[in-house]
Amino acid sequence: MTTKDPVCGMTVDPAHAAGSSDYHGETIYFCSVGCKAKFDANPEKYVGDAPQQTAVHEHAHHQHHDQHAQEHAATAKQWTCPMHPEIVSDRPGACPICGMALEPMTASLDDAPNEELIDMRRRFVISAILSVPLLAIGMTEMFRSFHTTWLPWLELALATPVVLWGGWPFFQRGWMSLVTRNLNMFTLIALGTGASYAYSVAATLAPGLFPASFKEHGMLPLYFEPAAVITTLVLLGQVLELRARERTSGAIKALLGLTPKSARVVMNDGSEHDLPIEQITAGMKVRLRPGERLPVDGVVVEGSGIVDESMLTGEPIPVEKQAGSKVTAGTINNNGAFVMRAEKVGADTLLAHIVRMVAEAQRSRAPIQQLADRVSAWFVPAVIAVAVLTFAAWALIGPEPRFTHALLNAVAVLIIACPCALGLATPMSVMVATGKGATAGILIKNAEELEHFAQVDTLVVDKTGTITEGKPKLVAIETVGGFDEKRLLAMIASVERASEHPLANAIVAAATEQRVAIGKAEEVRTIPGKGVTGTVGGYEIAIGNRALVENAGELESRAEAHRRKGATVMFVAIDGNAVGLVAVADPVKATSAEALNELRARGMTVTMLTGDARATAEAVAHSLGITSIEAEVLPDQKESIVRKLQDEGKVVAMAGDGVNDAPALSRAHVGIAMGTGTDVAIESAGLTLVKGDLRGIVRARNLSEAMMRNIRQNLFFAFFYNLLGVPIAAGILYPFFGVLLSPMIASAAMTFSSVTVIANALRLRNVKL
């Protein structure tokens, strides 16, 4: 839950608030120390008799919103800062911390035009038109003879609308940064352009106020030209930056565009009508024709089709769908025709879930951002100090004209050192990478998970449903003492029908296929890690491992033969006597070997976890080249195995799909849920693979490494740019080469640095995973 700062009106996440105050028994949070100071000085001015705090936002991962809350969340538009996601506002504006324009928290296909971009573009065009004559005056010798007459007034007339109107947003944000004590890039811009313009106005209106030492060739130098041109170049930078930032939401808009506006619904009377997507409810039947996009999640009930799921899973090969197959909103029915029953609609579809996860991940902060935050905290004050020292050094010991050199070099330092590139380095890469992941079937809960994944050296993989298909089949049934196999199958199927375990489903499916009569079981009880017991027709039935069926010695050799083939064996006892065994095999996914080989080639150690007997586990592991095995693991032991590896200094990722994997997924440095698994597993994980294919882990690793490489490039460029640019702007090259950096060139360089960082981040959209 977030609250509103009563001083500036911005919305603040309490976990990231700059400060808080207790007032009338309530805790009030602030976006900056400046707002806290104002409030503490006069709280009644802002809240009256009692604090007014308004909850405006809840994180998207809260799954139990009521319908009204969901409708409100869908219609309420909110804005946030890409560099400071704790700032949330119900209207567009500027971030009170960094001054950057806020942007919508969630992209929408019907988003109105970006008013900030339109305004900045208008200001830039008009400012550029007025700045061109000023630039021409400054570069043309013929105007110098008129300098004492009408020329200063012409420059004043041209520069004033550029600086005061075109640059007004910069002065507003610069002033806010001083009021809230959050010095930022606009502090430097306002100081630089404001000093140049204010001095020039004073020199034009009252030249007699200045000492003769300020004059050059008998005239006071004017700096209308750099003040106007710098403002224009900064406006150009804002236009380019805003346009580039809009492109970072392209992945979300592309996902939103996957849902059709309407669908053909089959009515109960057999008639068919096209209905808007908003009117489709769970249980309705929808007809899909060739080439149409699926409007909702559901299951095929009639017909068949070849569905392209690449936009959600990243897999290029279409999938055949028949009666009983699950289908997902946003995918395309390439060939064939079928009728599906809607199961999840609107905000409940997988596509809507993906959009929410991407939007939330894009607003999260990678730990590496803390480096930029620490630098930014002292950077602007340090730059102002350097600018003051630069002015003093040039004014005291610099060559003539001293004042001109002092002012221009100080302004150049202020302008070139704007920390915008430094602040954008990490958030832009995170936004593009999470969007790229979504289009490749990788859902990322937050940037921290993706950063950590680049450091993972050990991958723990649950066997069933992760390495294997998770759809076991009965491959053998054996009895002793002449006990009838079909009778045994009927009895154990009666007990297992009450269980939801995949092995139980395989037994029930085999009994149904063989047309064996399944009876009614009573007193069915599941014993975790051992098996299940129940009573059928007065007989006590036990199905499980040796820990449950203790007297199965004579069956052990037969069981071992099945285990060596990779099957899971369950012993069966009736009234305490072992009477047989069933062997169930879970086929290894066709893509598991390829994915695991690639991960090992990337330096990862792979450990397989399974509750199966060691012989079964070793058979599967041998076929995949896995040497580290944890077999016969009880559900509550998985988390302790992950912790043990972490205690050994390993950076561990855990991949699983079951409810009993959730504690281990939470414990691991990075939890990876297979999208075919349970909701509990998905909620516990940091990454979710929509396809449920281990090759998705390879893609996620590639994406993680690409994002971190991109962030480091951005940070290096931003640091290097400032370390190089500030000394040059201060005039360090002048004693050696006679070179000074014009404030206008400094402004162009500052703009170039920000745009370069964003352009580099956008390259992640084209990285091959």
Side-chain angles (χ1 to χ4, degrees):
M1 191 74 74
T2 55
T3 61
K4 185 170 291 186
D5 184 329
V7 177
C8 65
M10 300 305 295
T11 305
V12 184
D13 182 348
H16 300 92
S20 64
S21 295
D22 290 331
Y23 182 69
H24 285 194
E26 298 286 345
T27 302
I28 301 179
Y29 298 93
F30 304 95
C31 70
S32 67
V33 293
C35 287
K36 173 175 165 49
K38 282 189 169 186
F39 178 86
D40 290 342
N42 186 9
E44 288 77 11
K45 176 180 177 182
Y46 301 103
V47 297
D49 293 332
Q52 300 295 318
Q53 299 187 56
T54 307
V56 296
H57 175 66
E58 290 192 21
H59 291 295
H61 66 263
H62 287 128
Q63 298 296 309
H64 304 292
H65 290 312
D66 57 27
Q67 185 175 358
H68 175 75
Q70 289 181 345
E71 292 173 355
H72 176 74
T75 57
K77 194 74 171 179
Q78 294 179 323
W79 283 258
T80 187
C81 173
M83 288 169 56
H84 301 91
E86 68 271 21
I87 299 299
V88 180
S89 175
D90 55 5
R91 63 179 64 86
C95 174
I97 298 176
C98 67
M100 289 181 63
L102 302 180
E103 56 189 31
M105 292 184 68
T106 304
S108 171
L109 288 176
D110 57 359
D111 276 344
N114 188 331
E115 293 296 333
E116 178 82 8
L117 177 57
I118 293 171
D119 179 57
M120 288 295 180
R121 187 186 292 123
R122 183 190 307 116
R123 292 176 189 271
F124 165 69
V125 170
I126 295 174
S127 296
I129 292 172
L130 295 173
S131 295
V132 168
L134 276 169
L135 198 58
I137 291 170
M139 297 175 65
T140 307
E141 292 290 332
M142 64 172 290
F143 286 105
R144 302 215 173 176
S145 59
F146 303 106
H147 196 82
T148 56
T149 56
W150 52 269
L151 192 57
W153 298 97
L154 175 61
E155 290 184 296
L156 174 62
L158 291 170
T160 297
V162 175
V163 176
L164 297 187
W165 176 76
W168 183 247
F170 308 148
F171 288 110
Q172 281 185 314
R173 297 173 189 183
W175 175 252
M176 180 60 69
S177 73
L178 295 175
V179 170
T180 62
R181 301 178 193 173
N182 289 302
L183 304 184
N184 53 50
M185 62 173 287
F186 295 103
T187 316
L188 303 180
I189 293 171
L191 286 174
T193 57
S196 301
Y197 177 76
Y199 160 77
S200 300
V201 170
T204 301
L205 299 180
L209 295 176
F210 296 88
S213 60
F214 278 31
K215 295 182 179 181
E216 300 175 27
H217 309 295
M219 298 175 293
L220 286 171
L222 300 179
Y223 304 110
F224 288 121
E225 174 199 356
V229 173
I230 288 171
T231 299
T232 302
L233 288 172
V234 175
L235 284 168
L236 173 61
Q238 290 292 296
V239 170
L240 295 176
E241 181 184 311
L242 288 166
R243 286 177 60 185
R245 281 166 56 187
E246 277 198 329
R247 295 172 62 190
T248 60
S249 64
I252 290 183
K253 290 188 176 181
L255 290 169
L256 290 170
L258 296 179
T259 306
K261 300 296 183 184
S262 62
R264 178 163 289 261
V265 177
V266 180
M267 302 298 183
N268 292 333
D269 60 3
S271 62
E272 298 183 6
H273 301 282
D274 288 331
L275 292 181
I277 190 72
E278 296 81 8
Q279 296 182 18
I280 296 179
T281 59
M284 285 186 172
K285 292 183 178 180
V286 179
R287 182 175 298 281
L288 274 300
R289 294 160 291 193
E292 290 185 332
R293 286 193 185 276
L294 277 69
V296 293
D297 293 356
V299 61
V300 177
V301 295
E302 178 185 323
S304 63
I306 305 296
V307 177
D308 179 1
E309 298 179 327
S310 60
M311 63 288 298
L312 293 181
T313 65
E315 294 292 338
I317 301 175
V319 181
E320 182 178 0
K321 302 291 183 179
Q322 299 175 336
S325 299
K326 296 282 187 179
V327 287
T328 307
T331 56
I332 302 174
N333 178 31
N334 282 349
N335 295 297
F338 59 87
V339 175
M340 63 174 288
R341 182 178 66 251
E343 292 184 341
K344 294 183 178 180
V345 301
D348 295 327
T349 64
L350 173 62
L351 183 59
H353 179 68
I354 291 174
V355 170
R356 288 194 298 271
M357 281 194 71
V358 172
E360 191 165 287
Q362 287 187 337
R363 296 193 300 272
S364 64
R365 294 163 68 83
I368 197 172
Q369 174 70 25
Q370 295 173 3
L371 172 63
D373 290 344
R374 287 195 297 269
V375 172
S376 297
W378 56 261
F379 186 77
V380 174
V383 168
I384 294 174
V386 170
V388 171
L389 291 174
T390 299
F391 183 90
W394 281 96
L396 294 175
I397 60 175
E400 295 292 348
R402 291 181 178 178
F403 178 77
T404 296
H405 286 148
L407 183 60
L408 292 181
N409 288 328
V411 170
V413 168
L414 291 172
I415 298 301
I416 202 170
C418 287
C420 186
L422 187 61
L424 288 171
T426 299
M428 291 298 106
S429 297
V430 169
M431 291 178 73
V432 179
T434 50
K436 175 69 177 180
T439 60
I442 306 163
L443 302 186
I444 300 155
K445 182 172 288 187
N446 57 58
E448 182 176 0
E449 302 284 351
L450 197 57
E451 178 178 333
H452 283 161
F453 196 44
Q455 305 161 6
V456 167
D457 54 30
T458 302
L459 175 66
V460 178
V461 188
D462 182 60
K463 180 180 79 72
T464 305
T466 304
I467 291 177
T468 63
E469 295 284 355
K471 298 176 181 177
K473 294 181 179 179
L474 182 67
V475 294
I477 180 168
E478 298 188 20
T479 62
V480 293
F483 202 95
D484 184 71
E485 291 183 3
K486 285 200 171 184
R487 183 187 173 199
L488 182 63
L489 179 59
M491 296 180 80
I492 61 177
S494 300
V495 175
E496 294 284 17
R497 185 165 60 175
S499 172
E500 295 182 355
H501 195 282
L503 299 182
N505 294 337
I507 293 171
V508 174
T512 303
E513 185 178 330
Q514 296 181 31
R515 298 184 179 179
V516 172
I518 301 176
K520 182 180 180 181
E522 299 175 344
E523 300 178 5
V524 177
R525 185 166 63 96
T526 299
I527 304 173
K530 294 183 178 181
V532 62
T533 62
T535 302
V536 179
Y539 296 100
E540 293 183 2
I541 313 295
I543 311 111
N545 56 25
R546 281 295 301 274
L548 183 66
V549 183
E550 297 178 354
N551 60 350
E554 63 178 295
L555 290 167
E556 187 58 46
S557 59
R558 299 192 209 179
E560 192 64 22
H562 289 296
R563 292 180 188 129
R564 285 195 294 268
K565 296 177 184 178
T568 298
V569 176
M570 293 176 287
F571 298 101
V572 184
I574 297 179
D575 290 338
N577 299 313
V579 296
L581 63 80
V582 288
V584 177
D586 185 7
V588 174
K589 291 178 181 177
T591 57
S592 291
E594 173 193 345
L596 293 173
N597 287 336
E598 176 65 23
L599 291 169
R600 281 192 292 266
R602 303 292 291 277
M604 277 196 196
T605 299
V606 179
T607 296
M608 185 180 79
L609 284 186
T610 179
D612 292 343
R614 178 158 292 275
T616 302
E618 288 177 347
V620 174
H622 179 73
S623 68
L624 296 170
I626 298 174
T627 57
S628 176
I629 308 165
E630 295 284 351
E632 301 175 5
V633 176
L634 296 177
D636 58 355
Q637 294 176 332
K638 293 182 179 181
E639 187 264 353
S640 61
I641 291 172
V642 171
R643 189 191 309 118
K644 175 187 172 185
L645 290 169
Q646 291 174 328
D647 291 341
E648 294 172 0
K650 306 290 179 62
V651 182
V652 182
M654 165 74 187
D657 72 335
V659 171
N660 57 30
D661 296 326
L665 291 173
S666 297
R667 162 63 61 178
H669 292 102
V670 179
I672 305 169
M674 314 308 282
T676 51
T678 64
D679 291 340
V680 174
I682 291 172
E683 283 302 311
S684 302
L687 304 180
T688 299
L689 307 181
V690 175
K691 181 67 174 177
D693 183 337
L694 283 178
R695 288 179 301 178
I697 298 181
V698 178
R699 294 194 191 98
R701 177 70 168 212
N702 291 339
L703 179 64
S704 175
E705 292 177 347
M707 184 189 79
M708 293 309 299
R709 187 165 54 246
N710 192 272
I711 288 174
R712 291 189 185 100
Q713 290 167 353
N714 285 346
L715 288 174
F716 171 79
F717 182 81
F719 280 121
F720 178 77
Y721 164 81
N722 282 297
L723 289 174
L724 185 65
V726 172
I728 292 175
I732 196 173
L733 298 179
Y734 186 82
F736 307 102
F737 306 104
V739 175
L740 289 176
L741 187 67
S742 164
M744 291 178 287
I745 301 300
S747 178
M750 181 269 291
T751 295
F752 174 76
S753 70
S754 299
V755 174
T756 300
V757 164
I758 297 175
N760 188 49
L762 289 171
R763 289 193 310 112
L764 284 171
R765 299 191 306 175
N766 302 318
V767 68
K768 292 185 178 180
L769 303 179

